[in-house]
Amino acid sequence: MKGFFSTAAVASVAAVTLVAAGCGGTTKNDVEAQGGQPANTAAANPNAAIKQGLKIAFLPKQINNPYFTIADKGGTGAVSEFGGTGKEVGPSDASASSQVSYINTLIQQRQDAIVISCNDPNAVAPSLKQAMRQGIKVVTYDSDAAPDARHLFINQASAEDLGRTEVQQIAKQIGHKGEIAILSATPNATNQNSWINFMKDELTKPEYSGMKLVKIAYGNDDDQKSFTETQGLLKSYPNLKGIISPTTVGIAAAARYLSGSKYKGKVKLTGLGTPNQMRKFVKDGTVEAFELWNPADLGYLGAYAAAALSSGQITGAAGQKFKAGKLGEKTIGQNGEVILGPPTVFDKSNIDNFNF
Ligand code: RAM
């Protein structure tokens, strides 16, 4: 099972970064897009020490989402490790513009860096650019902003790998036959939309000719809405065979609905979830397998990237390297992207080995 998901992981990293950059080489525009500054020419001093007392704020899509609680704990933990002050602030809903006022407050507070997961790549861009103009380093993690509104994007895994493997997984579970639906987060979420594009592309391959994507529903990373949307999908599409939910909020709500319904074990569900939220649904037979990276490591890497930028070790240019504490050395890829690593697949054979 693990091999099934991870084979494409390494090979697809290069392909995805090229797709994301929109071209094969680095042009002046690309460089300026990496933060509105000529990142390749600005001097970086890889040997500089991490500055003491850095103020680094984490701004997740929403604060009452266990996934971000874990990620930001990893992030603020890293900040304490290198002698700074970290905090998490953010909205309780994941709507497009909900993060703007938080960014403006962080600018007023003269934070050294903002580490943000964007609900909408464009809604936050003007405020993030304003922050950058004031010397604040902007790192996106989990869900990117428009590339000219941040210095770096800490991506959890290759978007192509995540999108394609989720289709492969549901196909395997439904025997490559029947109707499927996607239960996503918010309609503008950068991360979910990039994964969904690769899912759609994967579905054009001949081996999926017996499958049909009938609907993309949006639960807005709200537990109750995600639950109701799942119920609606099963009502509207009585022949539905599978659901992919690439959001920890969505998959947990969908699993809860399925586990208490006549569809339990019959309508398959996969996607991205935390082991702690999904454990009971794997054990009761509602869910066979799903995947995720370690959110704490994602926040941790975001913190070290922000510190490396704020300390002048890196400027955000492709090829630059920085040390990320216990995660070791990381290299910046094209388009200012740093990848955490391939995700883990969880099923009943390994889920008890994870506690997050
Ligand atoms: C939800 C959020 C987050 C996403 C995870 C998988 O918690 O939408 O952005 O990365 O799911």
Side-chain angles (χ1 to χ4, degrees), residues 61 65 67-68 142 156 191-192 195 221 246-248 272 293:
K61 283 180 171 177
N65 173 344
Y67 167 86
F68 284 112
D142 179 68
Q156 40 270 54
N191 52 346
Q192 271 87 13
W195 304 329
D221 271 350
T247 139
T248 58
L272 304 173
W293 47 93

Side-chain angles (χ1 to χ4, degrees), residues 26 35 61 67 110 121 143 168 213 233 258 288 305 312 330 343 352:
T26 305
K61 283 180 171 177
Y67 167 86
R110 305 289 319 143
S143 184
Q168 288 157 14
L213 173 62
L233 281 173
L258 290 176
E288 274 177 38
K330 291 282 169 183
D352 283 338

Side-chain angles (χ1 to χ4, degrees), residues 134-167:
Q134 309 226 358
I136 297 174
K137 303 301 177 190
V138 175
V139 174
T140 52
Y141 72 131
D142 179 68
S143 184
D144 204 4
D148 63 347
R150 48 76 170 162
H151 294 96
L152 285 179
F153 170 39
I154 310 302
N155 197 354
Q156 40 270 54
S158 144
E160 175 166 12
D161 191 41
L162 286 176
R164 294 195 192 286
T165 55
E166 281 169 40
V167 170

Side-chain angles (χ1 to χ4, degrees), residues 2 27 60 90 106 111 129-130 143 149 174 199-200 218 268 286 290 326 329:
K2 196 158 191 164
T27 65
L106 294 172
Q111 294 288 314
K129 285 183 188 168
Q130 173 67 17
S143 184
I174 66 170
M199 289 183 206
K200 287 182 180 161
Y218 296 95
K268 304 294 183 180
T286 306
F290 63 97
K326 65 174 183 198
E329 189 173 76

